[in-house]
Amino acid sequence: MRDDVPSTIARSDDKAVRTYKKTLESAEESYGDGERAHRAAYASLKHTHEKVGDHWEPKEHKGPSDPQAAQGTPASRDRDRPTAQGVDANASKGHLDDVARKVGIGDPENMNKGELVEAIEKANARATAHARRR
């Protein structure tokens, strides 16, 4: 396992690891070692990857994953909104249905986008907690 990145990123593809590490390095030069640098690295990762279960997978289309990410800085700091915890809330309903099936959610077709995003967030959190206990 890659010890120098968070566990969910360590279980992801090389591109996710490179994106996170490169952005973190740059952010640490600007902001110092701390929460702000790590937030910047996650924000960058969320533009190219989405959380699926206990790891990150490349997104179909690059871009912000939720309204909070779409604001950019400094607006995101000043107008804090809930995030989708790595779920690509801007993806199509069909894509979210596919992700829901991957993480074990039954009958995603019967849910609206908001319900799907919330259900995927919860499934991702359970999968990550389970992976960390192993």
Side-chain angles (χ1 to χ4, degrees), residues 8-130:
T8 58
I9 298 168
R11 289 186 290 275
S12 304
D13 68 3
D14 290 341
K15 173 84 167 90
V17 173
R18 281 192 313 272
T19 299
Y20 181 85
K21 288 173 85 170
K22 185 175 180 179
T23 306
L24 180 61
E25 184 178 296
S26 176
E28 286 175 339
E29 289 176 12
S30 298
Y31 310 128
D33 183 24
E35 180 184 348
R36 188 171 180 191
H38 287 275
R39 278 196 329 250
Y42 268 111
S44 177
L45 179 65
K46 287 194 242 180
H47 275 254
T48 60
H49 289 72
E50 64 183 320
K51 190 152 185 243
V52 178
D54 67 346
H55 65 283
W56 295 82
E57 293 184 3
K59 288 173 31 174
E60 291 178 352
H61 304 285
K62 292 180 181 180
S65 57
D66 55 49
Q68 173 69 6
Q71 291 185 103
T73 305
S76 64
R77 236 185 7 248
D78 299 337
R79 292 187 300 263
D80 195 27
R81 296 179 177 173
T83 72
Q85 304 299 314
V87 177
D88 188 4
N90 291 330
S92 69
K93 169 84 165 69
H95 177 76
L96 291 172
D97 288 345
D98 292 342
V99 171
R101 282 188 213 90
K102 279 185 183 179
V103 297
I105 297 169
D107 297 324
E109 302 83 10
N110 297 328
M111 303 170 104
N112 66 37
K113 276 184 77 169
E115 292 168 335
L116 270 173
V117 169
E118 188 174 318
I120 294 168
E121 285 177 26
K122 289 178 182 177
N124 287 348
R126 283 191 301 272
T128 298
H130 178 72

